């Protein structure tokens, strides 16, 4: 049972790091995709399409086994990098959707009040967009928790890897995998509820904005 | 080195792997769509049989949408072997993919049916149609149209998700990439880059088509 708890902690930790990093990448990517210069737009589009149309497992293999000539990553850092970059592709599209929902007038108003463009982005556009994309981000986090199971194949000791080791020790495949399945379902439900509660508290006064 | 990696036998393996990936995905999509239509109807259609089956379908959807496909594969392969049924890996892979895709497709079809306004049911019933006739001839054609874009999106992610079938020893694209890496340990980047590109070639048209369909449905 102890092992399972540790595996679940690794799964959650890796997903949380990838979510934070992915959100940052997503903000950058979304700004690039909406940028006025076409090279930046092209880079953003290539990033999104490349990482959303290929399996996370192959991306992780490429980073873990394919880069051995350049850098020698251990499995934890390779897993975190792969999951973060992969999630960044999805978050770019989510954040871009949020930015599309913001009226152009808001930016114009900020500029008219004497803010520089960077200030308008940092104080108005990005916080507002993040508020709008909070609900889809919660869903994306659950997908990350489930998706991180493939990282066991590059040796990350998360929930699936722990289960496979335990099965190798005990030969009780059925019990071990049913338990793992229940744990994943619990993790998914609990993290949804928890994140929703956090979001509800965080954005308490701004319900109308969320609904828009 | 590069020329050795891309010798004839490597290409044969890659093509075989791509065929297996496609077989798994297409089987998942076909079974998922057919059973998903039944599942979607059961979750929305008001009749005694559907009411009785509804909790079962609900449980199926809620459980299998929250389980990684990898755990399903491991459970059905090693779990079944543990209980005494020794099933060939291909059958296990197909089983796991189908169980998984039925859950997602049921949800897609259900949301399509629920997007049709209630007034259409009332209108049809008041015109004297019986409710099966109404479902098949009025509701479903519109509902299926609405559920096409999310279903194409799901197909694309299913192609990517079948990569975990490597764990039960199915020789699909991901497994082939590992085999090639054992054969040419120094060419990891080339090998995984090629396989990445092959997945991209399969998935990109699907995601383009999905976006296109979504725009079309939204305009209608």
């Amino acid at each position: 049972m102890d092992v399972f708890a540790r595996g679940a902690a690794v799964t959650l930790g890796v997903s949380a790091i990838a979510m934070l990093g992915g959100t940052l990448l997503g903000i950058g990517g979304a700004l690039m995709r909406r940028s006025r210069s076409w090279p930046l737009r092209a880079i953003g589009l290539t990033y999104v399409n490349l990482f959303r149309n290929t399996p996370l497992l192959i991306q992780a293999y490429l980073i873990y086994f394919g880069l051995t000539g350049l850098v020698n990553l251990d499995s934890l850092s390779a897993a975190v990098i792969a999951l973060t970059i992969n999630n960044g592709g999805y978050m770019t599209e989510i954040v871009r959707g949020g930015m599309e929902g913001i009226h152009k007038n808001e930016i114009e108003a900020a500029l008219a009040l004497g803010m520089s463009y960077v200030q308008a982005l940092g104080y108005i556009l990005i916080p507002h967009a993040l508020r709008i994309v909070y609900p889809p981000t919660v869903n994306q986090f659950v997908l990350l928790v489930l998706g991180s199971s493939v990282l066991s194949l590059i040796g990350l000791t998360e929930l699936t890897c722990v289960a496979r080791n335990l099965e190798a020790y005990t030969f009780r495949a059925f019990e071990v995998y049913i338990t793992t399945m229940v744990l994943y379902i619990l993790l998914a439900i609990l993290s949804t509820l928890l994140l929703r509660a956090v979001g509800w508290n965080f954005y308490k006064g701004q319900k109308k904005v969320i609904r828009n | 080195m590069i020329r050795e990696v891309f010798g004839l036998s490597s290409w044969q393996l890659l093509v075989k792997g791509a065929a297996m990936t496609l077989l798994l995905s297409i089987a998942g999509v076909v079974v998922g769509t057919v059973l998903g239509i039944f599942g979607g109807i059961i979750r929305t259609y008001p009749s005694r049989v559907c009411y009785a089956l509804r909790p079962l379908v609900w449980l199926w959807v809620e459980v299998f949408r929250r389980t990684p496909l990898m755990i399903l594969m491991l459970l059905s392969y090693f779990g079944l072997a543990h209980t005494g049924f020794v099933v060939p890996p291909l059958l296990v892979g197909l089983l796991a993919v189908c169980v998984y895709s039925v859950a997602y497709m049921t949800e897609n079809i259900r949301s399509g049916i629920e997007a049709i306004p209630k007034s259409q049911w009332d209108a049809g019933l008041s015109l004297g149609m019986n409710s099966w006739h109404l479902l098949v001839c009025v509701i479903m054609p519109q509902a299926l149209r609405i559920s096409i874009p999310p279903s194409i999106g799901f197909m694309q992610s299913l192609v990517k998700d079948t990569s975990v079938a490597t764990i039960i020893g199915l020789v699909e694209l991901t497994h082939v990439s590992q085999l090639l890496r054992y054969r040419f340990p120094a060419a990891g980047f080339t090998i995984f880059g090629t396989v990445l590109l092959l997945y991209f070639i399969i998935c990109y048209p699907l995601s383009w088509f999905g976006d296109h369909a979504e725009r079309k449905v939204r305009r209608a």
Side-chain angles (χ1 to χ4, degrees):
Chain A
M1 217 60 251
D2 201 33
V3 227
F4 273 128
R6 220 171 301 149
V10 173
T11 291
L12 279 183
V14 167
S15 311
I17 297 173
M19 195 71 234
L20 290 179
T23 309
L24 290 180
L25 278 179
I27 293 172
L31 288 177
M32 277 166 96
R33 287 213 56 187
R34 288 163 55 83
S35 150
R36 237 173 281 164
S37 82
W38 70 263
L40 284 183
R41 274 207 307 272
I43 294 172
L45 192 69
T46 314
Y47 170 58
V48 167
N49 276 333
L50 195 61
F51 284 93
R52 280 171 33 129
N53 285 308
T54 51
L56 172 61
L57 183 53
I58 297 287
Q59 292 163 14
Y61 277 164
L62 187 66
I63 290 171
Y64 188 55
F65 297 120
L67 297 182
T68 40
L70 295 171
V71 275
N72 274 317
L73 296 164
D74 58 5
S75 57
L76 177 66
S77 42
V80 168
I81 293 173
L83 199 61
T84 305
I85 298 182
N86 179 271
N87 185 35
Y90 288 93
M91 284 306 293
T92 298
E93 283 303 273
I94 293 177
V95 173
R96 191 175 67 98
M99 286 182 178
E100 226 105 280
I102 295 172
H103 210 278
K104 223 168 43 181
N105 289 355
E106 275 185 48
I107 297 295
E108 281 168 5
L111 293 179
L113 284 171
M115 281 185 170
S116 71
Y117 192 69
V118 177
Q119 278 176 324
L121 283 185
Y123 290 117
I124 310 291
L125 184 70
I126 291 173
H128 197 160
L130 288 183
R131 200 177 304 149
I132 294 175
V133 302
Y134 192 79
T137 306
V138 174
N139 289 339
Q140 180 62 23
F141 183 75
V142 173
L143 292 182
L144 266 185
V145 169
L146 302 183
S148 66
S149 65
V150 307
L151 297 174
S152 64
L153 285 179
I154 62 167
L156 181 70
T157 48
E158 40 71 83
L159 199 45
T160 307
C161 187
V162 163
R164 287 173 66 201
N165 288 340
L166 205 60
E167 192 246 317
Y169 284 132
T170 60
F171 292 110
R172 315 201 66 146
F174 200 74
E175 294 90 328
V176 168
Y177 290 129
I178 284 283
T179 315
T180 317
M181 193 166 150
V182 172
L183 280 176
Y184 267 111
I185 295 169
L186 280 180
L187 278 186
I189 294 175
L190 287 181
S191 53
T192 310
L193 289 180
L194 191 72
L195 287 175
R196 267 194 206 150
V198 168
W200 191 77
N201 268 316
F202 198 43
Y203 296 130
K204 208 189 266 169
Q206 300 150 333
K207 273 220 149 163
K208 269 183 196 155
V209 180
I210 294 177
R211 220 170 275 157
N212 272 340
Chain B
M1 186 68 217
I2 298 285
R3 190 173 293 173
E4 279 170 35
V5 174
F6 290 116
L8 185 62
S9 63
S10 304
W11 278 116
Q12 280 171 337
L13 265 178
L14 282 172
V15 169
K16 224 184 255 175
M20 177 62 83
T21 293
L22 284 177
L23 172 68
L24 282 175
S25 329
I26 291 172
V29 166
V30 171
V31 174
T33 309
V34 173
L35 293 183
I37 288 176
F38 284 108
I41 291 175
I42 287 171
R43 290 201 68 180
T44 48
Y45 184 72
S47 85
R48 202 170 294 164
V49 182
C50 292
Y51 285 138
L53 289 174
R54 210 169 275 179
L56 191 73
V57 177
W58 175 82
L59 194 69
W60 184 292
V61 169
E62 296 300 314
V63 166
F64 292 122
R65 284 182 70 209
R66 288 194 171 85
T67 316
L69 183 56
M70 182 167 251
I71 295 293
L72 284 182
M73 294 261 175
L74 288 169
L75 181 65
S76 40
Y77 191 55
F78 296 108
L80 279 182
H82 183 62
T83 50
F85 297 99
V86 179
V87 191
L90 178 60
L91 224 58
V92 173
L94 287 173
L95 178 77
V97 165
C98 291
V99 163
Y100 182 73
S101 79
V102 167
Y104 277 86
M105 287 302 292
T106 295
E107 208 48 13
N108 285 344
I109 305 278
R110 180 187 69 97
S111 65
I113 295 178
E114 282 182 352
I116 306 297
K118 278 270 177 301
S119 51
Q120 295 213 11
W121 289 91
D122 301 339
L125 289 176
S126 63
L127 283 172
M129 294 171 107
N130 78 29
S131 57
W132 274 109
H133 187 194
L134 176 63
L135 182 77
V136 173
C137 296
V138 179
I139 305 296
M140 281 316 272
Q142 303 177 73
L144 288 183
R145 202 180 136 87
I146 293 174
S147 55
I148 283 174
S151 303
I152 294 177
F154 171 70
M155 277 179 212
Q156 183 248 22
S157 69
L158 191 65
V159 172
K160 294 185 295 173
D161 286 343
T162 56
S163 64
V164 304
T166 179
I167 202 172
I168 58 169
L170 274 183
V171 188
E172 40 71 61
L173 218 37
T174 309
H175 202 82
V176 168
S177 73
Q178 280 289 20
L179 291 178
L180 288 178
R181 192 181 67 90
Y182 292 138
R183 203 182 285 173
F184 309 104
F189 191 82
T190 326
I191 292 165
F192 293 121
T194 312
V195 173
L196 201 77
L197 215 64
L198 285 176
Y199 271 110
F200 184 82
I201 291 171
I202 302 175
C203 289
Y204 184 70
L206 278 177
S207 75
W208 182 86
F209 195 57
D211 289 347
H212 184 72
E214 191 173 341
R215 251 173 277 138
K216 228 175 162 181
V217 167
R218 199 176 289 167
R219 226 181 296 140

